[in-house]
Amino acid sequence: MNNPKTWQERIFYQVYLPSFCDGNADGLGDFQGLISKLDYLAELGIGGIWVTPFYPSPLKDNGYDISDHCAVDPRFGTLALFDELITVCHQRDILLVIDVVINHVSDQHQWFKSALSLPDSLFRDFFFFREKTNNWTSFFGGSAWTQEPGGTASYYHKFSPQQVCLNWSNPAVEHEIKKIFDFWIARGVDGFRFDVINFLTTDGIGDDHPPATAGTEPPHDKDINQPGVTNVVKRLCRHIRAQGEFLLIGEVGSDRLPVMSPYQEAGLLDVVFNFNLGSQKHFDISAIFGEMQAMETTLYGLPTLFFSSHDMSRMISRFGEASRDISRAVAVFALQMTARGLPFIFQGEEIGMTDFVPQNLQQMQDVQGITHYHTAISQGMNEKQAFTYALPFCRDASRAAVPWTPADAGEDQINVESESKYSQSIIANYKQLIHIRNTHPALQQGRYQHLRLLKQCLIFRRHLAAECLEVMINFGPPVANDGFGDGNAVLFGADEPLLKKNQILIKKVTHENAQK
């Protein structure tokens, strides 16, 4: 990361590679397609890309079951094409952050295959094999233990049986994982996103969990956030930073700020994904405001600002009051571009893509949804009941392909070309708000001068050196604009006596008014 523009000043864009852009007309997104859209992303104002796994995989969990951490799946391209991607990103001043999955490997990974076929193999201790298992459960449903083929022992997996957990109490595992980081650092990546980093099994397999009560999810108080995890993460971060400056992002599997915050400290991760803010199921500005306040007092460093990802329903579908509530989506995006934090835009948000909802099991691709369906069937539900039960667990909602032109889209499908034609489209508003953030240092690294909620109107000022910006975003009934007619330059919205619902006002405050 040699550019003087730091990661704190950038806006990041998440690319879920299989559905972003198909560059070779085989029906699947790939590196060639991503490269072809880099000018689009640069024009949008994106300064960094986080790309989801592209490694060889049997695809039992959409590529998060990796069979070779130092290669590219031929479906997406080649290592040479990946190197080209890095080069052309850097030519456009775009950083490239890649996903690393170090909690588990695919059951087709050479390490696990050696552990199965050679009982005396050193790789046997890379995993957990037990003759007597405990009652720990998989996050995808069912037991976390599967009997090894042709043997009497069972192996441990927090997710699907095809995603085998690594034994992080074995120093050889850490040694091999560091070599994986070295491989990608040598190719020029700018950072890493650590998948489910708090799930690492650093302290071995413990006793049974307390039994779950009726109607509740099984507890996970011993299998995640084990005491040794932060020490492992600290050593990995030290190893990576010894080779240069990199953005290190943690996915901590929790929506509770006290669980996430210990992973974002000096010597640990730069940022964590703040699911406490981003993954709320329904729009509630009071809850959002409360989390913004809490992050200011709890987190070491910047929070992350996102409301959609490949693992959750799209923001426009969760937060709107209609099937495609553009005014609400733009208002939430204004918050994302002006609040203190590191913004992440999920592919397709800028054109207002809505959720894909599978209509039957055949349309369901996500292993989590499919596993819950079969679990429900085994518990006596009929097919309709099982599908209804499984649908909330399915993560297909945001993984539909991004349509670029009307030729790519169905008759009424949202697409980039059509959205780009209109001056008041969602993408036009996104571009304007992105430009404001990219050109005002107070919105990139400024602190809050004040942060308050008036009824349902979020009001704050951010300042850096001599620059001060005031933001008002009203998510409810009209509220008075106390600064109406104060002569401050309007950057976005209109300076009117009342701010109506989902109306935004961003002003550049003069030195004299900034003291008020």
Side-chain angles (χ1 to χ4, degrees):
M1 194 181 297
N2 299 315
N3 194 289
K5 184 178 180 182
T6 67
W7 57 262
Q8 293 95 332
E9 299 172 317
R10 298 171 182 266
I11 297 166
F12 284 78
Y13 189 95
Q14 183 197 347
V15 171
Y16 183 69
L17 196 58
S19 62
F20 182 64
C21 183
D22 178 8
N24 60 3
D26 67 352
L28 186 76
D30 48 38
F31 285 141
Q32 188 175 333
L34 175 53
I35 289 170
S36 75
K37 298 303 178 184
L38 287 180
D39 286 337
Y40 164 83
L41 294 176
E43 181 187 352
L44 192 61
I46 299 303
I49 296 170
W50 154 38
V51 61
T52 56
F54 49 80
Y55 315 97
S57 168
L59 299 179
K60 299 300 181 181
D61 185 19
N62 299 82
Y64 282 87
D65 51 319
I66 297 171
S67 56
D68 185 346
H69 288 76
C70 296
V72 169
D73 193 308
R75 302 176 312 130
F76 299 129
T78 62
L79 272 174
L81 201 55
F82 178 84
D83 292 341
E84 181 183 345
L85 172 64
I86 292 179
T87 298
V88 294
C89 279
H90 290 173
Q91 287 172 350
R92 290 160 177 77
D93 189 24
I94 294 175
L95 304 180
L96 184 66
V97 174
I98 64 172
D99 239 320
V100 283
V101 185
I102 58 176
N103 173 73
H104 52 264
V105 300
S106 165
D107 64 348
Q108 298 304 304
H109 195 287
Q110 191 57 48
W111 296 347
F112 189 65
K113 290 167 77 173
S114 295
L116 289 180
S117 62
L118 302 170
D120 296 330
S121 167
L122 293 175
F123 290 110
R124 188 80 174 175
D125 195 39
F126 272 45
F127 308 97
F128 297 99
F129 290 92
R130 296 289 185 272
E131 295 289 340
K132 186 178 186 307
T133 62
N134 61 13
N135 70 347
W136 290 5
T137 56
S138 163
F139 283 80
F140 287 170
S143 174
W145 297 93
T146 293
Q147 187 172 329
E148 65 175 320
T152 59
S154 295
Y155 64 87
Y156 176 62
H157 53 88
K158 286 188 178 75
F159 298 101
S160 76
Q162 294 80 29
Q163 294 168 285
V164 193
C165 282
L166 290 165
N167 174 14
W168 275 90
S169 59
N170 180 356
V173 169
E174 184 173 325
H175 177 74
E176 292 298 322
I177 294 297
K178 286 177 178 175
K179 288 162 62 175
I180 293 168
F181 285 114
D182 294 346
F183 178 87
W184 295 108
I185 288 171
R187 305 200 90 84
V189 302
D190 301 293
F192 300 96
R193 179 259 192 190
F194 294 74
D195 185 63
V196 291
I197 193 61
N198 62 319
F199 282 41
L200 301 189
T201 307
T202 57
D203 296 60
I205 305 297
D207 298 330
D208 282 357
H209 284 132
T213 57
T216 64
E217 290 292 311
H220 290 280
D221 58 341
K222 299 178 182 179
D223 54 353
I224 63 174
N225 298 303
Q226 292 189 343
V229 175
T230 53
N231 287 332
V232 168
V233 175
K234 186 173 292 186
R235 292 196 298 269
L236 294 176
C237 290
R238 186 188 307 125
H239 177 83
I240 293 167
R241 290 182 177 125
Q243 303 178 65
E245 183 183 352
F246 299 90
L247 173 57
L248 305 181
I249 307 167
E251 183 203 25
V252 178
S254 175
D255 60 2
R256 296 177 56 239
L257 189 55
V259 176
M260 300 175 216
S261 59
Y263 294 89
Q264 183 177 337
E265 294 182 1
L268 289 167
L269 299 165
D270 292 306
V271 294
V272 297
F273 278 131
N274 287 108
F275 295 106
N276 59 304
L277 178 75
S279 64
Q280 296 187 31
K281 293 182 179 180
H282 307 287
F283 182 78
D284 182 343
I285 188 56
S286 296
I288 288 173
F289 175 68
E291 295 297 341
M292 291 173 68
Q293 288 182 307
M295 292 188 299
E296 285 300 299
T297 58
T298 306
L299 282 180
Y300 175 94
L302 289 175
T304 51
L305 304 169
F306 68 97
F307 294 99
S308 295
S309 79
H310 67 298
D311 277 336
M312 66 178 70
S313 172
R314 288 185 176 275
M315 175 266 286
I316 197 169
S317 295
R318 295 198 328 274
F319 284 0
E321 296 180 335
S323 59
R324 189 166 179 259
D325 191 340
I326 292 177
S327 62
R328 171 61 59 76
V330 172
V332 173
F333 187 68
L335 184 160
Q336 196 177 353
M337 289 297 102
T338 56
R340 181 174 173 270
L342 188 65
F344 286 81
I345 301 169
F346 180 58
Q347 63 183 43
E349 277 189 89
E350 73 275 17
I351 57 171
M353 284 186 68
T354 55
D355 280 349
F356 165 73
V357 181
Q359 300 301 305
N360 51 56
L361 185 64
Q362 289 68 41
Q363 292 183 356
M364 191 177 283
Q365 301 296 316
D366 177 43
V367 61
Q368 183 167 288
I370 293 169
T371 299
H372 278 84
Y373 173 86
H374 290 299
T375 298
I377 290 290
S378 70
Q379 293 173 349
M381 295 187 194
N382 62 37
E383 292 182 359
K384 183 177 180 181
Q385 291 170 330
F387 182 76
T388 301
Y389 168 79
L391 198 56
F393 296 97
C394 178
R395 297 169 296 176
D396 290 332
S398 58
R399 299 179 179 184
V402 176
W404 292 96
T405 68
D408 301 325
E411 184 176 345
D412 299 318
Q413 195 170 23
I414 303 155
N415 62 84
V416 174
E417 183 177 296
S418 297
E419 287 294 316
S420 300
K421 292 178 180 178
Y422 305 106
S423 60
Q424 294 304 312
S425 67
I426 188 169
I427 195 171
N429 281 280
Y430 266 50
K431 285 182 177 180
Q432 189 176 352
L433 288 163
I434 290 170
H435 177 74
I436 290 170
R437 187 184 189 278
N438 280 338
T439 53
H440 290 279
L443 295 182
Q444 297 165 12
Q445 298 200 54
R447 308 291 302 194
Y448 287 120
Q449 190 176 73
H450 63 247
L451 172 63
R452 62 193 179 98
L453 188 65
L454 174 63
K455 298 181 180 178
Q456 295 186 55
C457 184
L458 185 66
I459 304 171
F460 56 87
R461 282 186 179 180
R462 293 186 63 196
H463 66 95
L464 183 70
E467 185 179 61
C468 180
L469 270 66
E470 181 168 77
V471 178
M472 299 180 68
I473 311 171
N474 184 29
F475 293 100
V479 296
N481 173 13
D482 292 340
F484 171 65
D486 58 11
N488 287 319
V490 175
L491 302 178
F492 191 93
D495 192 9
E496 299 173 348
L498 290 177
L499 256 69
K500 302 179 183 66
K501 188 172 187 177
N502 294 327
Q503 194 169 345
I504 305 152
L505 178 60
I506 305 174
K507 288 184 176 183
K508 188 169 184 178
V509 182
T510 62
H511 177 72
E512 294 76 13
N513 289 329
Q515 307 306 314
K516 296 179 181 178

